[in-house]
Amino acid sequence: MARSATRKRSRPVAASSSGSAREEGEARGGVRRSTRERSAIHRFVAGPAHGDVHSFETARFHVVPPNGWHRFLWEMGCSALNTLKYHGELPPPVAPHSCWMLPSSDEMAVRIAEVQPQLAAAGWKTLTCDPALVHKLSNKQRLREHAEQVRASWAHMNGTRG
């Protein structure tokens, strides 16, 4: 308490010869204490490291088929697009450069697994496995059954109980 009583109150300093610093402070409803001119504030806005992050040619990921996610992917700024109109037909489109094709649905995940060699030949990177396993993993009940089978086979191989 005694500390606040001994603290000096700051008084406004006289404005510079132009008077603009004081006028600015008073215009905002506060008191400007400094007589120096204000500098303009410039906000840093991060841009893409190279090229246009939203262009078809520089996207690192293409999520297919289009399902309305494009705006959200675009806002994330992660070099992912959802504008490629590919639904699994052959021949697949040629990749604009070395980029990933990601599924936006379980059905498309199975189809990408089925046509993976053709996608690779067209320049697409994919992360997939056997189509039957992809189909199994898309169903919660079959996923649970698969996990139990894997656990049982692992326990059998290691001689422990699962």
Side-chain angles (χ1 to χ4, degrees), residues 91-105:
V94 176
H97 62 282
S98 182
C99 55
W100 293 87
M101 181 179 283
L102 304 175
S104 63
S105 67

Side-chain angles (χ1 to χ4, degrees), residues 118-156:
Q118 291 89 339
L119 290 169
W124 292 100
K125 294 179 186 177
T126 58
L127 181 61
T128 190
C129 58
D130 179 54
L133 181 58
V134 174
H135 181 67
K136 187 186 291 187
L137 298 177
S138 69
N139 180 295
K140 289 180 183 176
Q141 180 59 37
R142 282 182 276 180
L143 172 62
R144 181 185 172 110
E145 292 167 0
H146 179 71
E148 289 172 357
Q149 289 172 353
V150 169
R151 186 176 334 145
S153 65
W154 184 84
H156 176 72

